[in-house]
PDB file of all heavy atoms in Angstrom:
ATOM      1  N   LYS Z 154     106.474 110.950  73.266  1.00  0.00           N
ATOM      2  CA  LYS Z 154     107.840 111.071  72.778  1.00  0.00           C
ATOM      3  C   LYS Z 154     108.762 110.083  73.490  1.00  0.00           C
ATOM      4  O   LYS Z 154     109.628 109.448  72.853  1.00  0.00           O
ATOM      5  CB  LYS Z 154     108.333 112.508  72.969  1.00  0.00           C
ATOM      6  CG  LYS Z 154     109.678 112.795  72.356  1.00  0.00           C
ATOM      7  CD  LYS Z 154     109.617 112.688  70.842  1.00  0.00           C
ATOM      8  CE  LYS Z 154     110.908 113.135  70.206  1.00  0.00           C
ATOM      9  NZ  LYS Z 154     110.904 112.972  68.763  1.00  0.00           N
ATOM     10  N   LEU Z 155     108.615 109.924  74.782  1.00  0.00           N
ATOM     11  CA  LEU Z 155     109.437 108.972  75.537  1.00  0.00           C
ATOM     12  C   LEU Z 155     109.207 107.539  75.056  1.00  0.00           C
ATOM     13  O   LEU Z 155     110.149 106.762  74.899  1.00  0.00           O
ATOM     14  CB  LEU Z 155     109.146 109.079  77.043  1.00  0.00           C
ATOM     15  CG  LEU Z 155     109.653 110.329  77.726  1.00  0.00           C
ATOM     16  CD1 LEU Z 155     109.125 110.407  79.153  1.00  0.00           C
ATOM     17  CD2 LEU Z 155     111.158 110.394  77.718  1.00  0.00           C
ATOM     18  N   VAL Z 156     107.943 107.177  74.839  1.00  0.00           N
ATOM     19  CA  VAL Z 156     107.613 105.844  74.334  1.00  0.00           C
ATOM     20  C   VAL Z 156     108.219 105.625  72.952  1.00  0.00           C
ATOM     21  O   VAL Z 156     108.743 104.545  72.652  1.00  0.00           O
ATOM     22  CB  VAL Z 156     106.080 105.639  74.308  1.00  0.00           C
ATOM     23  CG1 VAL Z 156     105.682 104.412  73.498  1.00  0.00           C
ATOM     24  CG2 VAL Z 156     105.532 105.559  75.714  1.00  0.00           C
ATOM     25  N   GLU Z 157     108.207 106.670  72.164  1.00  0.00           N
ATOM     26  CA  GLU Z 157     108.776 106.603  70.822  1.00  0.00           C
ATOM     27  C   GLU Z 157     110.306 106.382  70.861  1.00  0.00           C
ATOM     28  O   GLU Z 157     110.856 105.624  70.083  1.00  0.00           O
ATOM     29  CB  GLU Z 157     108.462 107.931  70.123  1.00  0.00           C
ATOM     30  CG  GLU Z 157     108.761 108.036  68.656  1.00  0.00           C
ATOM     31  CD  GLU Z 157     108.374 109.415  68.169  1.00  0.00           C
ATOM     32  OE1 GLU Z 157     107.180 109.749  68.171  1.00  0.00           O
ATOM     33  OE2 GLU Z 157     109.294 110.181  67.799  1.00  0.00           O
ATOM     34  N   LEU Z 158     110.983 107.025  71.799  1.00  0.00           N
ATOM     35  CA  LEU Z 158     112.440 106.965  71.907  1.00  0.00           C
ATOM     36  C   LEU Z 158     112.966 105.763  72.686  1.00  0.00           C
ATOM     37  O   LEU Z 158     114.069 105.295  72.431  1.00  0.00           O
ATOM     38  CB  LEU Z 158     112.967 108.244  72.562  1.00  0.00           C
ATOM     39  CG  LEU Z 158     112.774 109.536  71.778  1.00  0.00           C
ATOM     40  CD1 LEU Z 158     113.148 110.733  72.651  1.00  0.00           C
ATOM     41  CD2 LEU Z 158     113.582 109.512  70.500  1.00  0.00           C
ATOM     42  N   ALA Z 159     112.193 105.281  73.616  1.00  0.00           N
ATOM     43  CA  ALA Z 159     112.670 104.207  74.504  1.00  0.00           C
ATOM     44  C   ALA Z 159     112.636 102.852  73.792  1.00  0.00           C
ATOM     45  O   ALA Z 159     111.786 102.594  72.963  1.00  0.00           O
ATOM     46  CB  ALA Z 159     111.796 104.148  75.751  1.00  0.00           C
ATOM     47  N   PRO Z 160     113.585 101.998  74.158  1.00  0.00           N
ATOM     48  CA  PRO Z 160     113.567 100.641  73.587  1.00  0.00           C
ATOM     49  C   PRO Z 160     112.433  99.834  74.195  1.00  0.00           C
ATOM     50  O   PRO Z 160     111.916 100.171  75.275  1.00  0.00           O
ATOM     51  CB  PRO Z 160     114.932 100.075  73.989  1.00  0.00           C
ATOM     52  CG  PRO Z 160     115.319 100.837  75.188  1.00  0.00           C
ATOM     53  CD  PRO Z 160     114.706 102.210  75.050  1.00  0.00           C
ATOM     54  N   GLY Z 161     112.054  98.765  73.539  1.00  0.00           N
ATOM     55  CA  GLY Z 161     111.011  97.890  74.066  1.00  0.00           C
ATOM     56  C   GLY Z 161     109.635  98.377  73.679  1.00  0.00           C
ATOM     57  O   GLY Z 161     109.476  99.300  72.877  1.00  0.00           O
ATOM     58  N   ASP Z 162     108.645  97.740  74.284  1.00  0.00           N
ATOM     59  CA  ASP Z 162     107.260  98.039  73.955  1.00  0.00           C
ATOM     60  C   ASP Z 162     106.567  98.622  75.192  1.00  0.00           C
ATOM     61  O   ASP Z 162     105.859  97.934  75.914  1.00  0.00           O
ATOM     62  CB  ASP Z 162     106.553  96.748  73.494  1.00  0.00           C
ATOM     63  CG  ASP Z 162     105.149  96.993  72.994  1.00  0.00           C
ATOM     64  OD1 ASP Z 162     104.847  98.126  72.560  1.00  0.00           O
ATOM     65  OD2 ASP Z 162     104.333  96.050  73.060  1.00  0.00           O
ATOM     66  N   LEU Z 163     106.813  99.897  75.441  1.00  0.00           N
ATOM     67  CA  LEU Z 163     106.207 100.559  76.600  1.00  0.00           C
ATOM     68  C   LEU Z 163     104.737 100.882  76.311  1.00  0.00           C
ATOM     69  O   LEU Z 163     104.403 101.316  75.238  1.00  0.00           O
ATOM     70  CB  LEU Z 163     106.945 101.860  76.924  1.00  0.00           C
ATOM     71  CG  LEU Z 163     108.399 101.757  77.330  1.00  0.00           C
ATOM     72  CD1 LEU Z 163     108.964 103.141  77.586  1.00  0.00           C
ATOM     73  CD2 LEU Z 163     108.531 100.904  78.575  1.00  0.00           C
ATOM     74  N   ASN Z 164     103.909 100.670  77.323  1.00  0.00           N
ATOM     75  CA  ASN Z 164     102.527 101.081  77.204  1.00  0.00           C
ATOM     76  C   ASN Z 164     102.043 101.941  78.347  1.00  0.00           C
ATOM     77  O   ASN Z 164     100.897 102.321  78.414  1.00  0.00           O
ATOM     78  CB  ASN Z 164     101.597  99.841  77.026  1.00  0.00           C
ATOM     79  CG  ASN Z 164     101.686  98.904  78.202  1.00  0.00           C
ATOM     80  OD1 ASN Z 164     102.306  99.216  79.225  1.00  0.00           O
ATOM     81  ND2 ASN Z 164     101.078  97.753  78.073  1.00  0.00           N
ATOM     82  N   LYS Z 165     102.983 102.257  79.258  1.00  0.00           N
ATOM     83  CA  LYS Z 165     102.649 103.141  80.366  1.00  0.00           C
ATOM     84  C   LYS Z 165     103.843 104.038  80.674  1.00  0.00           C
ATOM     85  O   LYS Z 165     104.989 103.618  80.565  1.00  0.00           O
ATOM     86  CB  LYS Z 165     102.312 102.346  81.619  1.00  0.00           C
ATOM     87  CG  LYS Z 165     101.022 101.567  81.490  1.00  0.00           C
ATOM     88  CD  LYS Z 165     100.674 100.892  82.774  1.00  0.00           C
ATOM     89  CE  LYS Z 165      99.322 100.261  82.573  1.00  0.00           C
ATOM     90  NZ  LYS Z 165      99.113  98.999  83.098  1.00  0.00           N
ATOM     91  N   VAL Z 166     103.541 105.262  81.087  1.00  0.00           N
ATOM     92  CA  VAL Z 166     104.556 106.215  81.521  1.00  0.00           C
ATOM     93  C   VAL Z 166     104.062 106.828  82.815  1.00  0.00           C
ATOM     94  O   VAL Z 166     102.904 107.206  82.930  1.00  0.00           O
ATOM     95  CB  VAL Z 166     104.782 107.328  80.447  1.00  0.00           C
ATOM     96  CG1 VAL Z 166     105.754 108.372  80.970  1.00  0.00           C
ATOM     97  CG2 VAL Z 166     105.282 106.741  79.153  1.00  0.00           C
ATOM     98  N   LEU Z 167     104.935 106.874  83.814  1.00  0.00           N
ATOM     99  CA  LEU Z 167     104.583 107.458  85.105  1.00  0.00           C
ATOM    100  C   LEU Z 167     105.556 108.585  85.400  1.00  0.00           C
ATOM    101  O   LEU Z 167     106.768 108.372  85.470  1.00  0.00           O
ATOM    102  CB  LEU Z 167     104.659 106.385  86.196  1.00  0.00           C
ATOM    103  CG  LEU Z 167     104.357 106.824  87.615  1.00  0.00           C
ATOM    104  CD1 LEU Z 167     102.934 107.347  87.727  1.00  0.00           C
ATOM    105  CD2 LEU Z 167     104.558 105.653  88.574  1.00  0.00           C
ATOM    106  N   PHE Z 168     105.023 109.780  85.543  1.00  0.00           N
ATOM    107  CA  PHE Z 168     105.868 110.932  85.857  1.00  0.00           C
ATOM    108  C   PHE Z 168     105.858 111.182  87.359  1.00  0.00           C
ATOM    109  O   PHE Z 168     104.849 110.972  88.026  1.00  0.00           O
ATOM    110  CB  PHE Z 168     105.348 112.194  85.140  1.00  0.00           C
ATOM    111  CG  PHE Z 168     105.517 112.143  83.658  1.00  0.00           C
ATOM    112  CD1 PHE Z 168     104.416 112.087  82.827  1.00  0.00           C
ATOM    113  CD2 PHE Z 168     106.778 112.153  83.073  1.00  0.00           C
ATOM    114  CE1 PHE Z 168     104.555 112.050  81.451  1.00  0.00           C
ATOM    115  CE2 PHE Z 168     106.945 112.121  81.722  1.00  0.00           C
ATOM    116  CZ  PHE Z 168     105.820 112.057  80.878  1.00  0.00           C
ATOM    117  N   ALA Z 169     106.987 111.659  87.866  1.00  0.00           N
ATOM    118  CA  ALA Z 169     107.077 112.037  89.267  1.00  0.00           C
ATOM    119  C   ALA Z 169     107.454 113.507  89.336  1.00  0.00           C
ATOM    120  O   ALA Z 169     108.168 114.009  88.474  1.00  0.00           O
ATOM    121  CB  ALA Z 169     108.157 111.207  89.967  1.00  0.00           C
ATOM    122  N   PRO Z 170     106.992 114.202  90.357  1.00  0.00           N
ATOM    123  CA  PRO Z 170     107.303 115.631  90.467  1.00  0.00           C
ATOM    124  C   PRO Z 170     108.748 115.913  90.864  1.00  0.00           C
ATOM    125  O   PRO Z 170     109.210 117.020  90.730  1.00  0.00           O
ATOM    126  CB  PRO Z 170     106.335 116.126  91.524  1.00  0.00           C
ATOM    127  CG  PRO Z 170     105.919 114.940  92.299  1.00  0.00           C
ATOM    128  CD  PRO Z 170     106.037 113.762  91.385  1.00  0.00           C
ATOM    129  N   GLY Z 171     109.473 114.896  91.344  1.00  0.00           N
ATOM    130  CA  GLY Z 171     110.871 115.101  91.738  1.00  0.00           C
ATOM    131  C   GLY Z 171     111.556 113.796  92.014  1.00  0.00           C
ATOM    132  O   GLY Z 171     110.930 112.723  92.037  1.00  0.00           O
ATOM    133  N   GLY Z 172     112.867 113.853  92.244  1.00  0.00           N
ATOM    134  CA  GLY Z 172     113.659 112.655  92.437  1.00  0.00           C
ATOM    135  C   GLY Z 172     113.306 111.862  93.669  1.00  0.00           C
ATOM    136  O   GLY Z 172     113.219 110.644  93.631  1.00  0.00           O
ATOM    137  N   THR Z 173     113.113 112.539  94.804  1.00  0.00           N
ATOM    138  CA  THR Z 173     112.792 111.830  96.032  1.00  0.00           C
ATOM    139  C   THR Z 173     111.440 111.128  95.889  1.00  0.00           C
ATOM    140  O   THR Z 173     111.283 109.975  96.308  1.00  0.00           O
ATOM    141  CB  THR Z 173     112.745 112.809  97.222  1.00  0.00           C
ATOM    142  OG1 THR Z 173     114.036 113.376  97.386  1.00  0.00           O
ATOM    143  CG2 THR Z 173     112.327 112.138  98.501  1.00  0.00           C
ATOM    144  N   THR Z 174     110.488 111.798  95.298  1.00  0.00           N
ATOM    145  CA  THR Z 174     109.173 111.193  95.078  1.00  0.00           C
ATOM    146  C   THR Z 174     109.280 110.009  94.128  1.00  0.00           C
ATOM    147  O   THR Z 174     108.622 108.987  94.303  1.00  0.00           O
ATOM    148  CB  THR Z 174     108.185 112.229  94.510  1.00  0.00           C
ATOM    149  OG1 THR Z 174     108.165 113.361  95.376  1.00  0.00           O
ATOM    150  CG2 THR Z 174     106.789 111.659  94.416  1.00  0.00           C
ATOM    151  N   ALA Z 175     110.140 110.110  93.123  1.00  0.00           N
ATOM    152  CA  ALA Z 175     110.347 109.008  92.180  1.00  0.00           C
ATOM    153  C   ALA Z 175     110.886 107.779  92.919  1.00  0.00           C
ATOM    154  O   ALA Z 175     110.501 106.641  92.624  1.00  0.00           O
ATOM    155  CB  ALA Z 175     111.303 109.427  91.067  1.00  0.00           C
ATOM    156  N   ILE Z 176     111.782 107.991  93.898  1.00  0.00           N
ATOM    157  CA  ILE Z 176     112.303 106.870  94.692  1.00  0.00           C
ATOM    158  C   ILE Z 176     111.173 106.200  95.459  1.00  0.00           C
ATOM    159  O   ILE Z 176     111.034 104.976  95.474  1.00  0.00           O
ATOM    160  CB  ILE Z 176     113.406 107.354  95.666  1.00  0.00           C
ATOM    161  CG1 ILE Z 176     114.649 107.806  94.906  1.00  0.00           C
ATOM    162  CG2 ILE Z 176     113.754 106.288  96.701  1.00  0.00           C
ATOM    163  CD1 ILE Z 176     115.381 106.713  94.162  1.00  0.00           C
ATOM    164  N   GLY Z 177     110.332 106.987  96.131  1.00  0.00           N
ATOM    165  CA  GLY Z 177     109.195 106.441  96.854  1.00  0.00           C
ATOM    166  C   GLY Z 177     108.248 105.676  95.958  1.00  0.00           C
ATOM    167  O   GLY Z 177     107.768 104.582  96.309  1.00  0.00           O
TER     168      GLY Z 177
END
Side-chain angles (χ1 to χ4, degrees):
K154 187 65 173 177
L155 289 172
V156 167
E157 189 180 294
L158 294 171
D162 186 25
L163 296 179
N164 60 8
K165 292 184 174 140
V166 175
L167 179 61
F168 291 114
T173 298
T174 306
I176 292 293

